[in-house]
């Protein structure tokens, strides 16, 4: 029994780490521009699919180079999305921008379908498939890659927003765009940085987890929705809350799938989303803002 | 002491909000070292004028020169980098960020000059000791007067050649208004060139060298501050006696 639970926890943290990175992407874009970017899951898919495409076959690149290439391509997609779909709609309502990002996600999925078809792809594990044993539970080296990679990325993002002037400038754009202009911040450029960073996190999530979960042109849909649920669970706009929300969602899903039924795995995520929205819309760590004027 | 070189020259500047025209060919000058006040009623176009100078509002006609360099069509961040620093109406501090972060973001364009930024940060904390005391608090928790000091400090960290001040007295208690105006005067005494927009005409003209009266988007009067204070029409319209 306990071995089983340990196994569920390992799976839960691995999946949760992926959700955390997607949720972090949601939080960053929401913080920078008040846009909920429903194309976030597509970044994950594009990262994984381009990495596989670049490394596949006889003429393929060595894996590390393919991964770097995939990340750069995904970042470019994120920047293009901001520049050509989001920026022109500046000042539009929240609903409008949400519809734009949903449209963008359908478009990106369509392009992926044209390029790669409906096949399911696998990516080679980074460092072999020999499982490690903890008690009776097993752990693949790739699980460690996911957890370690996600931990490093989260720490990096935390450092970026709390200890660098560029990170703070992005936050400044979200709290007061006019004032950001007036202190000399290039607001347009900061938006591109925010979308590029979110795309980078999405691509990394996709690349890290692809060897375990496989991937296909529509893999981003579910990951995007789960990441969104995690971001809401943690409190939208709170990056570290998003990470905690991702881990919590991954753990709950994995435990529910193991202990109740795996058929309910996906439903759990959305039941949690609805419960949070009903009971505590500001999320686990949503701040109650105090502001004097 | 004011010299004769115009630091800022505004020539027939117009601006629109959609189809509605807000500025109708405004011309004015601010010389190096001067403190110039723009007074006028609510809706006269004072804030629009400053926003157009900073580039956050588009000019639809006319030109703006800093020294001899035209800045009319420049992006706001380029205008700040050129030395025009703007203290916006209603303070507009970055509420969730700390006081210290707010000030450092004021020096965003100068972020590579680390030594200068630290030095100037010390100066601001000396000028406004209360900000030093609360440097780690989020700016949104400050009182209105403290936020105004923060907004001024933030603009000073942009190393202004020209400081634009929009309604610094708005919403403040009379004692605080006095203090803010004392600070503005002393900044000018230290050589900062200032363009001050105010509804509180008496206080503004009290410290200014010269003044312009703005009415419905046009300059209707310009003279030395003392003359404007004595002017019959100005007194009736803006000073209330």
């Amino acid at each position: 029994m306990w071995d089983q639970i340990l196994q569920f926890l390992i799976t839960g943290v691995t999946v949760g780490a992926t959700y955390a990175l997607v949720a972090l992407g949601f939080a960053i874009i929401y913080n920078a521009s008040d846009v909920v970017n429903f194309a976030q899951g597509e970044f994950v898919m594009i990262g994984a699919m381009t990495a596989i495409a670049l490394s596949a076959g006889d003429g393929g690149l060595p894996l590390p180079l393919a991964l770097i290439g995939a990340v750069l391509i995904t970042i470019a997609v994120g920047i293009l999305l901001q520049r050509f779909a989001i920026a022109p709609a500046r000042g539009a309502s929240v609903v409008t921008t949400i519809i734009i990002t949903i449209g963008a996600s359908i478009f990106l999925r369509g392009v992926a379908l044209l390029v790669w078809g409906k096949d399911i792809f696998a990516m080679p594990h980074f460092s072999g498939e020999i499982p490690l044993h903890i008690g009776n539970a097993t752990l693949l080296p790739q699980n460690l890659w996911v957890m370690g990679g996600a931990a490093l990325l989260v720490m990096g993002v935390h450092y970026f927003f709390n200890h660098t002037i560029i990170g703070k400038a992005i936050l400044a754009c979200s709290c007061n765009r006019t004032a950001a202009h007036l202190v000399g911040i290039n607001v347009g450029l900061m938006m591109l940085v925010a979308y590029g960073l979110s795309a980078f996190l999405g691509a990394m999530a996709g690349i890290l987890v692809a060897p375990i979960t496989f991937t296909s042109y529509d893999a981003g849909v579910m990951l995007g929705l789960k990441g969104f649920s995690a971001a809401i669970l943690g409190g939208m706009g709170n990056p570290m809350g998003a990470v905690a929300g991702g881990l919590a969602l991954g753990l709950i899903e994995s435990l529910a799938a193991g202990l109740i039924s795996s058929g309910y795995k996906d439903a759990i995520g959305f039941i949690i989303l609805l419960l949070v929205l009903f009971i505590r819309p500001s999320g686990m760590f949503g701040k109650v803002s105090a502001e004097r004027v | 002491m004011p010299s004769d070189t115009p630091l800022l020259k505004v020539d027939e500047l117009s601006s629109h909000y959609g189809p509605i025209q807000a500025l109708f060919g405004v011309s004015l000058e601010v010389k190096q070292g001067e403190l110039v006040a723009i007074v006028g009623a609510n809706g006269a176009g004072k804030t629009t004028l400053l926003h157009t100078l900073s580039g956050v509002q588009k000019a639809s006609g006319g030109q703006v020169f800093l020294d001899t360099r035209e800045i009319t069509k420049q992006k706001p961040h380029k205008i700040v980098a050129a030395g025009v620093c703007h203290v916006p109406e209603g303070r507009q501090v970055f509420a969730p960020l700390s006081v210290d972060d707010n000030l450092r973001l004021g020096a965003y364009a100068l972020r590579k000059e680390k030594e200068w930024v630290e030095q100037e940060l010390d100066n601001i904390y000396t000028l406004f000791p209360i900000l030093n005391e609360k440097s780690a608090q989020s700016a949104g928790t400050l009182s209105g007067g403290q936020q105004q000091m923060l907004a001024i400090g933030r603009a000073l960290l942009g190393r202004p050649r020209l400081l634009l001040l929009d309604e610094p007295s708005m919403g403040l208690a009379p004692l605080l208004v006095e203090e803010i105006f004392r600070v503005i005067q002393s900044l000018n005494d230290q050589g900062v060139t200032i363009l001050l927009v105010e509804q509180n005409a008496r206080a503004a003209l009290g410290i200014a060298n010269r003044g312009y009266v703005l009415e419905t988007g046009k300059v209707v009067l310009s003279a030395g501050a003392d003359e404007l204070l004595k002017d019959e029409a100005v007194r009736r319209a803006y000073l209330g006696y």
Side-chain angles (χ1 to χ4, degrees), chain A residues 95-116:
Chain A
V95 176
T96 310
T97 52
I98 284 178
I99 290 171
I100 289 172
T101 64
I102 292 176
S105 80
I106 294 171
F107 170 75
L108 292 172
R109 220 176 302 142
V111 171
L113 179 62
L114 284 176
V115 176
W116 292 301

Side-chain angles (χ1 to χ4, degrees), chain B residues 29-41:
Chain B
E29 267 184 24
V30 181
K31 298 192 182 80
Q32 187 79 47
E34 261 191 324
L35 199 174
V36 172
I38 297 177
V39 298

Side-chain angles (χ1 to χ4, degrees), chain B residues 64-144:
Chain B
V64 181
F65 295 92
L66 191 70
D67 289 325
T68 47
R69 183 177 148 201
E70 192 181 349
I71 57 167
T72 327
K73 295 264 148 63
Q74 299 263 23
K75 292 261 173 62
H77 66 273
K78 298 266 169 145
I79 294 178
V80 175
V84 178
C85 300
H86 187 149
V87 182
E89 183 179 16
R91 279 78 81 168
Q92 316 282 350
V93 297
F94 302 118
L97 300 184
S98 74
V99 168
D100 199 63
D101 285 344
N102 268 269
L103 290 172
R104 285 174 189 279
L105 283 169
Y108 184 79
L110 305 163
R111 60 193 181 281
K112 300 263 155 62
E113 300 179 39
K114 293 199 173 81
E115 267 172 47
W116 183 88
V117 173
E118 295 305 322
Q119 180 71 48
E120 185 64 7
L121 202 55
D122 275 353
N123 292 344
I124 301 298
Y125 281 141
T126 314
L127 181 64
F128 301 118
I130 187 74
L131 296 184
N132 194 12
E133 228 171 87
K134 307 200 167 197
S135 67
Q137 283 189 21
S138 68
T141 63
L142 300 183
S143 72

Side-chain angles (χ1 to χ4, degrees), chain A residues 214-236:
Chain A
F214 304 111
T215 189
S216 61
Y217 79 99
D218 60 354
V221 180
M222 205 39 109
L223 272 169
L225 288 172
K226 295 292 178 59
F228 176 67
S229 304
I232 294 287
L233 178 59
M236 199 66 179

Side-chain angles (χ1 to χ4, degrees), chain A residues 189-202:
Chain A
L189 181 64
M190 289 302 117
M191 293 303 119
L192 294 180
V193 172
Y195 277 75
L197 179 58
S198 286
F200 165 71
L201 292 172

Side-chain angles (χ1 to χ4, degrees), chain A residues 14-15 18 44 123 126 142 146 204-214 223:
Chain A
T14 307
V15 176
T18 318
V44 182
M123 190 153 94
F126 293 1
Q142 195 66 34
V146 176
M204 289 303 291
I207 286 167
L208 288 169
V209 83
I212 303 177
T213 59
F214 304 111
L223 272 169

